[in-house]
Each structure stands twice: as structure tokens, then as C-alpha cells.
Amino acid sequence: MSKILIRGAKVLGGEPQDVLIDGETIAEVGTGLSAEGAQVVEAGGKILLPGLVDLHTHLREPGREDSETVLTGTKAAAVGGFTAVHAMANTFPVADTAGVVEQVWRLGKESGYCDVQPIGAVTVGLEGKKLAELGAMHESAAGVRVFSDDGKCVDDAVIMRRALEYVKAFDGVVAQHAQEPRLTEGAQMNEGIVSAELGLGGWPAVAEESIIARDVLLAAHVGSRVHICHLSTAGSVEIVRWAKSKGWNVTAEVTPHHLLLTDELVRSYNPVYKVNPPLRTEADVLALREALADGTIDCVATDHAPHPHEDKDCEWGAAAMGMVGLETALSVVQHTMVDSGLLDWAGVADRMSFRPAHIGRLEGHGRPVSVGEPANLTLLDSAYRGEVDPAGFASRSRNTPYEGRELPGRVTHTFLRGRATVVDGKLA
Amino acid sequence: MKRHLISAADLTRDDAVLILDTAEEMARVADRPIKKLPTLRGRTVVNLFFEDSTRTRISFEAAAKRLSADVINFSAKGSSVSKGESLKDTALTLEAMGADAVVIRHHDSGAPHRLATSGWIGGSVVNAGDGTHEHPTQALLDAFTMRRRLVGADAGLGQDLDGRRITIVGDILHSRVARSNVHLLHTLGAEVTLVAPPTLVPIGVEQWPCEVSYDLDAVVAKSDAVMMLRVQRERMNAAFFPTEREYARRYGLDGDRMSRMPEHAIVMHPGPMNRGMEITAEVADSPRCTAVEQVTNGVSIRMAVLYLLLGGNEPALTAGNGTSTRTEESK
Ligand SMILES: [Zn+2]
């Protein structure tokens, strides 16, 4: 097997060190390591992180290959510094059987760019009525541990309770898309000052918060673990903080876009800002950043939601919800959390690799950068500044809200089990 | 004035007064035996309606025809066109046909804004009602009606509605008419009070330049104009209020309430009226109710808007530059 020497990298933002990769694992970490027989990557003070892990990616295959495929999605993930992604279940057909999750898992293996861990649907067809075969999906080759009806809320309290109880048998977790359906009928954006002015149907914060409150209570009652997808309001943060203070097994994620963008942007009526949950207010954004910094929110998850151009190049009401996020996630986190002083690079490693891997019970990812560990690594040039140009995206879709915006940081290298998937910012 | 009319909030005080004054000139045309001006000869105005509204479409059509424009009516109801490609594809077609102005009515808030800013089309865009967002020409015709009644037709030229107290009653939450009126009336110096059950007042209304009350009786006595909005019966089924009877009692305008309005005060309604719901027949048919005048005035206002966006010479269109001369014949 080949050897790679990464020379002079700030491991988790610390003092520059050399990291020697031998085959699929990290062989040595130290200073002045010998490069004999190894290919050398001069890091020159770049930041070395454990390979990023996303808990929330929409890869669209099977069924919407015009938006994304497992191959294009994993390429985008690699470019963004990810070595593992969890693929959401809202595909066509829905990933609610062992057959579909195995198909996605296998396609991930074949892609070679990034490990793909399928998420199984909680209910058949995401319909919220009947539990899907959670056990069979767990026992399949894909070994599913995370279950979610994402895109839809498991709003029936009894179904949610049963799902939470049932997955305890194999240490699974239910990832809830918290959206009270009745309170969000006709909702098009955050309910508040801007929605009142624009005449767009309001999506009240309480529609998210009331479900989170219910679910943390349910999880506590049955002694299970629940994960809350894409928190978007200050009130949601307060509920999760309270649940954690009780010692309950609750985890939560926030998307990069909810750490940066606000509903003021919707004034443009540009559907690139149409997303579920919707962009909220400045006060919410600040509360989310603070909660990610203090650990109330466990991790960053992209909610990468690719859509073809025509689904966004239209009027607001007709547009699809969602934005791509894999290729810009680390830059947005650097901008909002690191450059603002809220989080150091070790904190980023924790929120974007260690914790999401742990929540998903994903083996071989989210490991320390130390000897004997799998060589899943990401090298970041944090000094880089540049405008986001979606034309160069590896994703099949271009629906980014950051087009033309200057963001810091650029992933120059990604290694998946010792093999470079990205070299000098380009797919290997 | 800008190239498009998307929102009443985009109008400055001078823009708005210019439109009202121009509408007075246009109103005189309606009194002539031949109700036509050559102003927009050779120009094409498209009425692009994604939502049925015969009243509004006919009003714009009459306005464009009185200015000698060629009018194309394009009805594209939302359900018949596939999602996501409807507006853009239609716009590209209209652009290829050389539309100078597109009057658009759409069920989605923001669709006219999108049409005007996405580069799909080169002509002027006039918002004829978008979702629950705005309906600026309705607000202009309402303001025109108020100025005529409360200030005077000829005496009103150059005037705004400074200090007039206007009350808007009903389904504020879903009303594009209310949104546009709040912006425009505020710009024109009026004091606006919205009256509705709390369920029909949008969250965030505290940022609007107006007062909000839940008590109609408390405000009618000090109103120069009371504008009753149409309340859709479906709102009752969605639990915005308990029963029609309760709504009518608390928020409807009947003869008794009208009698407590100041003598000069008028009752307005954008139509069509639900008699017995938000307004009783007695009030609707009284000489104080301006609903029919509003329809007539709508044509004058829309003539003024099309004229200023398409036909008026450039200096007259630039608001607030002190230029008041404007030639009636621009080529
Ligand atoms: Zn979701």
C-alpha cells in the first residue's frame, strides 16, 4: 500500500505536525517525520481535520437522478471535505425497506468518494401511519441506525412513541423533522414582520418548537434517544437546552444556512432562499450560533437538498424548497463560528465529525487524528477567500444561496481511508 | 416613478399624487362622447391572468383601449400549466411577442416582482394583485375616490390625504387590498386604523405604519372613510371566527354603526360585496357607499398608470424633480 506524508499541518488547529498515512490508516503523527517512499503533501500550516460527517444529506437516488445521484452527491461531499454522509430516506421509492437502503449503501460503496450510510424511513412511504420495517433495515447490509421521515414530520404522537421505543432494540435513533403540519398549512416562509409585509404564508416558530417539546418528553418517557433535525429557532434551542439539563438523551443539529441567512433575504422573492425549515430572524441566527458553540446543538448537518434549475427559476410559490450545502458547509461554519471567535478548530472537528458520527453510531468515522486510526482526513486552507461560483460545483444541482458571496476557507485535500478523493481542491 | 408598479410601497408621495392628478385628467376623457386618446397607439399591453378576476381584467382592458393600446388577454389559470415553468415560459412567449406592458394577476405573492426582476421580460410590469401581497392599483383607485369625496375633484389636484382618518375593516391577514392601502394611505399622509378579529391580523403588523383595533364601534365615530373588506366564508371553516352571525355583529357595518360616522364620512368596498356579512344592504345601497364609483375610478387610475409607465415623457415620470410640465401627446 502507498504512503502519504502530510507535512506541516495544524492538526485540529494546533501546532504544525506531520501525519504519515500508511495504507488505510494513520501510521505516525509527529514532527520531522521521514518521507521515505511516501508521496508528500506540503500542508504549509493548513488545518487538518478528521473527515467530516454529515447526518443529513439528500442524495435523491433512487428516483430524482436529475437533481443528484449517489455518485454526484458523494463527489460534492468529497469536495466539501466529507468522508461520510447519511442519505435521507425521502427518495422515490422511499427508503423504507431493506432493499432500498441496501441499494443506496451499495451505490455509495461503488462511488468511492465518500461512505454513504442510508437513513431508513420511520413509516411506510413517509406517510406517518404505519411503522416501516425498522429492524429489517437495521439487519440489512446497510446496518441502518438512524431513522427519519425527513421532509415530513412524524406528527402522530403514538407512532412517534412506538418508533422511539422500537429502535431501542438496536441502539437506533429517530431523527425528527419538527413541523406541526396544521400550523404550517400554506406556509411559505418564517412568520413574522417580513411575511406580513410580503404576504407570504407564515411558518410560525411554534410549529417547530411544539413538536420538539413533545418529542423530548416522549423520548424521556420511554427512555430512548431522539435527534432533532435542523433546529431553526431560538425557542427550539431553549427546549433542547432544558431537555439536556434534565439528562435526557436528546441531540440536535443545525444547518450552515440557518447559522448565516435570515428571512430578510426573502424580500427578493428569490426562491434560492426558499427552504424547510425557513430562514428565521437575526435573533434566531445568533441563538443558534451560541447553542452550537456551547454544545446545546451537537452538530452541523448540511440538509443538502439539490434541485434542478427549473424548480427554482420560477415564482416563489411554485418553487421547490431546499438548497445545496455540501460544498460550502465548512466555509460557512468557518465564517460564522471560527472567524467570529465562537468555536476553535477542535470545536469544528467535534461538531462536524466526532459528534455526528457518534449520533449515527458510524464506525470508522469521527475518530481522532492519531496513530492506528482510519485515515479519513480533511485538509483546509483557512486563509483562502473567494466568491462562491456554483458553475464549478461537483453536485448535479446549483441551487446555492451563496452565489457570488465571498466565503472563507477551501478544502484542498480529502482522504478516504488513505486514498485522496480531493487533491488541490479538485476531485482526484 | 419606476419602470414597474409592483407595490404601493414603491411609490413616493409625489409619484402617488402625480398618478391621482393624471387620473383626474383621464376621468375627463370618460365624459367625452369619444372616450379615447391616441397616447398608446402601437403599444401592446398584455393582461396576464393566472387567477380569475373579470372585474380587474375588464378595468385594465378598458383603460388600455381608451389609450389606444393593443390589448391581449392571456388567461393562464394555475392548474392548467405545469408547476415551475408556468410564469417563466409564459413571460418568454410574451417577450417574443413584444409586449410593452404586462398586467399580471397571480395567485402567488411575489410573482409580479419575480417577473419584473428575473430578466425574463423587458417591458413594464403592473401588479394587478398577487396572492395575499399587494394590489396597488386598487389602493390608488381607493385613494382617488377618497380624495374626490373628502378633498374635492378639482380642488384636490396636487393634494394628498393629509390628516384624514381611514379605517379598514375585515380580513387584513389575507388582503392584498389592505396591504397596499396601508402603504399608500400612509404615504399620502392619512392615519390608518385596521379593525379585525385578532385571528385576521397578521403577526408582525406592529411594524406597519398604522393602528390596530379589535373594536369597530370605538373607531367608526372618528373615521373619515370606513373601508369594508370582503370576508370569505371559507375563513369561518378554518376557525378564523366562529360564525357568520358573530362576525357580522362584531365587524360588519350596518345602518346603526354607519349613523355614528361623521356626516361627511364615506363607506368604501372593493367589491364584490357579501351583503349581510361585512355590510348590510342598507349601507351598501346608501349614497354614502362609494363601491360603484370605485369601479368607475378604477378605469381612470389604470389609464393613468399605463400612461405614466408607457406613454408619459421621461421628465414627468421622474418624481420629485420639480418638473411638472408634461405634454399630453408624446409621439
Ligand atoms: Zn427536514
Side-chain angles (χ1 to χ4, degrees):
Chain A
M1 285 297 264
S2 61
K3 289 184 181 182
I4 300 170
L5 180 67
I6 304 170
R7 189 183 272 152
K10 294 177 178 168
V11 178
L12 271 54
E15 288 305 307
Q17 284 187 298
D18 304 338
V19 174
L20 182 67
I21 301 170
D22 187 358
E24 297 193 354
T25 52
I26 297 171
E28 276 185 86
V29 181
T31 44
L33 296 188
S34 157
E36 204 180 314
Q39 184 194 335
V40 177
V41 175
E42 293 291 352
K46 289 175 192 163
I47 309 290
L48 188 67
L49 299 171
L52 307 183
V53 175
D54 193 12
L55 258 180
H56 194 146
T57 307
H58 295 275
L59 289 178
R60 304 296 188 214
E61 188 176 6
R64 283 309 301 267
E65 291 82 358
D66 57 326
S67 307
E68 195 82 285
T69 63
V70 172
L71 182 61
T72 60
T74 51
K75 283 181 176 178
V79 168
F82 291 87
T83 53
V85 298
H86 289 75
M88 270 301 170
N90 63 336
T91 48
F92 302 94
V94 171
D96 57 3
T97 62
V100 180
V101 294
E102 277 195 12
Q103 180 195 356
V104 173
W105 177 77
R106 215 169 293 282
L107 286 166
K109 276 220 156 331
E110 286 163 11
S111 87
Y113 285 98
C114 172
D115 285 353
V116 173
Q117 178 57 49
I119 290 175
V122 177
T123 65
V124 175
L126 308 178
E127 284 174 356
K129 299 202 171 76
K130 194 175 173 299
L131 287 183
E133 289 190 345
L134 308 174
M137 287 190 275
H138 173 68
E139 283 160 22
S140 74
V144 176
R145 277 269 182 46
V146 184
F147 299 89
S148 181
D149 276 1
D150 182 63
K152 287 183 175 176
C153 180
V154 182
D155 64 311
D156 183 316
V158 171
I159 296 284
M160 187 63 185
R161 175 197 172 145
R162 301 281 186 252
L164 286 167
E165 288 179 306
Y166 195 83
V167 300
K168 283 202 292 185
F170 35 86
D171 194 22
V173 63
V174 178
Q176 175 70 291
H177 169 118
Q179 180 188 354
E180 212 292 318
R182 286 280 282 152
L183 285 173
T184 52
E185 275 172 19
Q188 306 231 49
M189 68 171 296
N190 179 47
E191 182 174 63
I193 291 159
V194 183
S195 68
E197 213 169 291
L198 298 183
L200 288 173
W203 195 311
V206 69
E208 175 174 310
E209 294 154 2
S210 58
I211 292 290
I212 296 175
R214 183 200 73 176
D215 287 354
V216 298
L217 291 166
L218 278 176
H221 181 64
V222 303
S224 187
R225 61 186 183 111
V226 66
H227 176 75
I228 311 296
C229 295
H230 40 52
L231 253 67
S232 70
T233 79
S236 298
V237 167
E238 282 311 307
I239 296 162
V240 171
R241 190 170 280 142
W242 170 74
K244 286 191 166 182
S245 76
K246 294 277 200 183
W248 299 342
N249 216 333
V250 176
T251 55
E253 69 189 31
V254 62
T255 72
H257 48 271
H258 287 109
L259 291 172
L260 179 59
L261 309 175
T262 71
D263 64 353
E264 289 290 328
L265 292 162
V266 182
R267 289 183 192 281
S268 66
Y269 285 110
N270 186 343
V272 77
Y273 300 115
K274 187 173 174 183
V275 65
N276 177 351
L279 300 177
R280 305 288 188 179
T281 68
E282 185 73 22
D284 293 308
V285 166
L286 296 177
L288 293 165
R289 288 183 188 180
E290 194 188 313
L292 183 65
D294 72 19
T296 302
I297 295 176
D298 299 82
C299 63
V300 173
T302 66
D303 195 8
H304 177 78
H307 290 293
H309 181 67
E310 57 271 23
D311 286 7
K312 286 288 194 179
D313 190 27
C314 58
E315 58 274 29
W316 183 273
M321 288 183 288
M323 27 181 89
V324 291
L326 286 169
E327 291 168 78
T328 49
L330 191 51
S331 290
V332 175
V333 170
Q334 182 184 337
H335 175 60
T336 57
M337 301 299 296
V338 181
D339 292 354
S340 66
L342 285 166
L343 210 59
D344 59 14
W345 288 109
V348 172
D350 183 60
R351 310 299 196 275
M352 296 187 77
S353 181
F354 299 150
R355 289 222 226 175
H358 181 68
I359 293 166
R361 300 291 192 258
L362 203 57
E363 284 168 20
H365 292 276
R367 303 293 306 165
V369 181
S370 49
V371 175
E373 296 289 350
N376 295 318
L377 297 165
T378 294
L379 194 60
L380 172 82
D381 177 4
S382 61
Y384 175 87
R385 296 283 181 286
E387 284 184 5
V388 175
D389 179 11
F393 278 2
S395 170
R396 181 160 283 181
S397 292
R398 304 276 181 271
N399 51 307
T400 175
Y402 309 116
E403 179 167 6
R405 189 190 272 256
E406 189 181 287
L407 287 176
R410 174 170 172 263
V411 171
T412 62
H413 292 74
T414 307
F415 300 94
L416 177 63
R417 281 183 291 279
R419 191 178 75 79
T421 54
V422 172
V423 174
D424 295 327
K426 303 229 158 31
L427 286 167
Chain B
M1 241 170 88
K2 299 181 175 179
R3 185 155 60 93
H4 310 291
L5 179 58
I6 307 297
S7 162
D10 294 340
L11 297 170
T12 63
R13 185 231 174 240
D14 289 352
D15 287 335
V17 170
L18 173 63
I19 294 169
L20 300 184
D21 288 353
T22 307
E24 283 292 357
E25 292 173 34
M26 297 302 174
R28 281 183 220 119
V29 176
D31 298 334
R32 295 184 193 166
I34 296 169
K35 302 176 173 43
K36 216 159 174 147
L37 291 175
T39 319
L40 298 185
R41 190 176 290 149
R43 315 297 290 276
T44 301
V45 175
V46 178
N47 287 325
L48 176 58
F49 276 54
F50 287 83
E51 186 183 79
D52 278 334
S53 176
T54 310
R55 297 163 63 100
T56 304
R57 184 181 56 73
I58 288 175
S59 182
F60 271 105
E61 186 172 351
K65 284 183 170 166
R66 283 186 192 172
L67 294 169
S68 303
D70 295 322
V71 180
I72 298 171
N73 287 314
F74 189 168
S75 157
K77 291 244 299 281
S79 53
S80 62
V81 267
S82 76
K83 180 177 180 261
E85 39 186 15
S86 55
L87 182 60
K88 185 185 180 184
D89 289 353
T90 308
L92 296 179
T93 305
L94 300 181
E95 182 67 359
M97 285 161 47
D100 296 294
V102 176
V103 175
I104 175 173
R105 160 76 67 123
H106 203 285
H107 42 81
D108 283 332
S109 300
H113 182 279
R114 209 55 193 132
L115 184 63
T117 56
S118 294
W120 299 333
I121 201 162
S124 293
V125 175
V126 180
N127 182 1
D130 62 327
T132 53
H133 177 224
E134 285 225 36
H135 194 356
T137 60
Q138 177 72 41
L140 284 161
L141 75 87
D142 291 338
F144 183 75
T145 306
M146 284 178 226
R147 196 176 74 164
R148 281 195 143 189
R149 284 286 201 117
L150 303 175
V151 185
D154 289 329
L157 286 176
Q159 302 290 303
D160 56 21
L161 292 167
D162 189 42
R164 309 293 154 155
R165 290 185 290 198
I166 318 294
T167 301
I168 303 176
V169 189
D171 185 357
I172 310 298
L173 180 63
H174 301 96
S175 176
R176 50 196 173 208
V177 175
R179 267 180 190 73
S180 287
N181 263 298
V182 167
H183 288 306
L184 183 68
L185 292 171
H186 173 71
T187 300
L188 289 171
E191 291 165 23
V192 181
T193 303
L194 303 176
V195 180
T199 47
L200 291 173
V201 176
I203 297 276
V205 77
E206 60 278 4
Q207 298 289 318
W208 294 12
C210 61
E211 298 293 314
V212 177
S213 169
Y214 306 135
D215 182 358
L216 181 54
D217 288 314
V219 290
V220 282
K222 36 185 187 174
S223 302
D224 297 306
V226 177
M227 184 185 299
M228 305 307 296
L229 299 175
R230 179 181 169 82
V231 174
Q232 295 183 356
R233 294 191 153 88
E234 303 93 88
R235 304 292 180 221
M236 189 183 74
N237 302 327
F240 285 102
F241 52 88
T243 62
E244 283 184 35
R245 187 175 57 177
E246 176 158 322
Y247 183 88
R249 274 194 197 150
R250 292 176 64 86
Y251 299 100
L253 191 61
D254 58 10
D256 180 42
R257 281 200 172 108
M258 184 172 69
S259 73
R260 279 180 272 134
M261 290 165 50
E263 205 131 300
H264 67 273
I266 55 172
V267 175
M268 307 182 70
H269 197 296
M273 294 185 273
N274 287 314
R275 289 161 187 254
M277 181 80 163
E278 72 269 1
I279 195 165
T280 61
E282 179 191 2
V283 177
D285 297 332
S286 88
R288 301 177 79 171
C289 180
T290 61
V292 177
E293 268 169 75
Q294 285 168 265
V295 175
T296 308
N297 292 341
V299 178
S300 304
I301 279 291
R302 285 159 185 141
M303 287 174 76
V305 166
L306 290 172
Y307 168 76
L308 289 168
L309 289 179
L310 290 179
N313 60 19
E314 287 304 313
L317 287 172
T318 313
N321 65 355
T323 315
S324 58
T325 48
R326 184 177 70 249
T327 47
E328 200 73 32
E329 302 286 328
S330 64
K331 12 187 237 185

